[in-house]
Amino acid sequence: MSIPDKSIDPRLLDSAKAEFLKNGFLKAELKTICENAGITTGALYKRYKGKEELFCAVVKDTVDAIEDYINKRTLPNLSELTDDEICHAWDMNEENTLELFKMLWKLKDGFVLLICKSSGTRFENYQHDFVSSMSEAYEKYYNEAKRRNLARTDITSKELHVICTSFWTSVYEPFTHDLSWKEIEQHCKIMCRFFNWTDTILLAER
């Protein structure tokens, strides 16, 4: 009875990640992936139906981590939060924002694949879909703030989506342009000063 080679999957995923990062999904070659992993294409097809399924396997941990991040920020009952907690949700605190960048830095390869290299896969609209999810969460917080007379500005769902898109673009771009961690730390400071939600359009002075 033959013993399965358990080293194949890690080698295959590492090789696939390198090829996808270099060439993107559309131009990546399964032949190259297999050659660099030291396996046959037959061994690949025993594990994955094709290139897209392999891509999805490479980014799975990143997708799961980011979905967990979204879910933790989409509370089912905002009425349980205090006024201070509602307002704090819009506070561009450098320390908290840097924690977001630290999370994404740990997921850097998978995150870059999702936002820059996923054209042709089910994740090709990942940036837009992510922003839409976060916009829905922000709108829930904003509506609760309006209900409590904490917010002073009327804003439509479309307008909020546009604003959220500009914010999250400033999160994506350091990874798109391969900034160093030191550069990201500086970018975080500038971004937090620029997107000072509580002092501009969203919350009333208390």
Side-chain angles (χ1 to χ4, degrees):
M1 183 177 179
S2 63
I3 300 175
D5 184 352
K6 295 182 179 180
S7 70
I8 288 179
D9 284 338
R11 297 202 320 265
L12 177 56
L13 292 176
D14 286 346
S15 177
K17 181 171 71 173
E19 175 70 2
F20 289 136
L21 283 170
K22 180 181 179 181
N23 296 313
F25 174 78
L26 291 175
K27 293 184 178 180
E29 297 285 346
L30 288 180
K31 180 181 178 182
T32 301
I33 291 172
C34 291
E35 287 177 351
N36 292 337
I39 66 171
T40 64
T41 54
L44 184 152
Y45 283 111
K46 284 182 180 179
R47 290 163 174 76
Y48 303 99
K49 294 178 180 178
K51 191 164 67 168
E52 182 173 4
E53 189 170 293
L54 179 58
F55 183 92
C56 292
V58 171
V59 299
K60 183 181 185 304
D61 288 346
T62 301
V63 171
D64 290 346
I66 293 176
E67 284 185 355
D68 183 61
Y69 174 85
I70 294 173
N71 291 335
K72 286 181 179 178
R73 282 151 183 79
T74 309
L75 298 178
N77 188 2
L78 295 181
S79 63
E80 296 178 356
L81 298 182
T82 65
D83 286 357
D84 285 340
E85 287 172 325
I86 290 291
C87 291
H88 181 67
W90 302 98
D91 184 13
M92 285 302 297
N93 180 288
E94 285 185 25
E95 181 180 354
N96 292 338
T97 305
L98 192 60
E99 287 302 311
L100 167 63
F101 278 111
K102 286 179 180 178
M103 178 195 75
L104 295 176
W105 184 259
K106 291 179 181 178
L107 303 168
K108 183 180 178 182
D109 287 347
F111 189 56
V112 169
L113 287 174
L114 287 168
I115 64 175
C116 301
K117 309 288 185 176
S118 60
S119 181
T121 77
R122 70 190 70 176
F123 295 111
E124 64 182 357
N125 294 317
Y126 187 82
Q127 289 193 43
H128 178 271
D129 294 342
F130 177 83
V131 170
S132 294
S133 296
M134 294 308 299
S135 295
E136 290 176 6
Y138 290 147
E139 188 169 13
K140 290 178 182 178
Y141 276 90
Y142 179 72
N143 288 337
E144 182 64 19
K146 288 283 286 185
R147 188 184 71 80
R148 300 186 192 192
N149 200 32
L150 298 173
R152 64 172 178 236
T153 302
D154 290 326
I155 185 169
T156 67
S157 298
K158 289 182 179 180
E159 289 170 334
L160 185 57
H161 178 79
V162 170
I163 292 172
C164 290
T165 298
S166 66
F167 169 76
W168 284 105
T169 298
S170 71
V171 174
Y172 297 144
E173 286 297 288
F175 296 92
T176 300
H177 294 284
D178 197 25
L179 267 60
S180 68
W181 177 248
K182 185 176 181 180
E183 289 173 319
I184 287 178
E185 287 181 309
Q186 180 61 26
H187 169 74
C188 179
K189 293 179 181 179
I190 295 171
M191 190 181 83
C192 287
R193 293 170 190 165
F194 185 81
F195 287 99
N196 198 347
W197 303 84
T198 55
D199 289 345
T200 53
I201 65 169
L202 293 178
L203 297 178
E205 294 181 2
R206 302 180 62 218

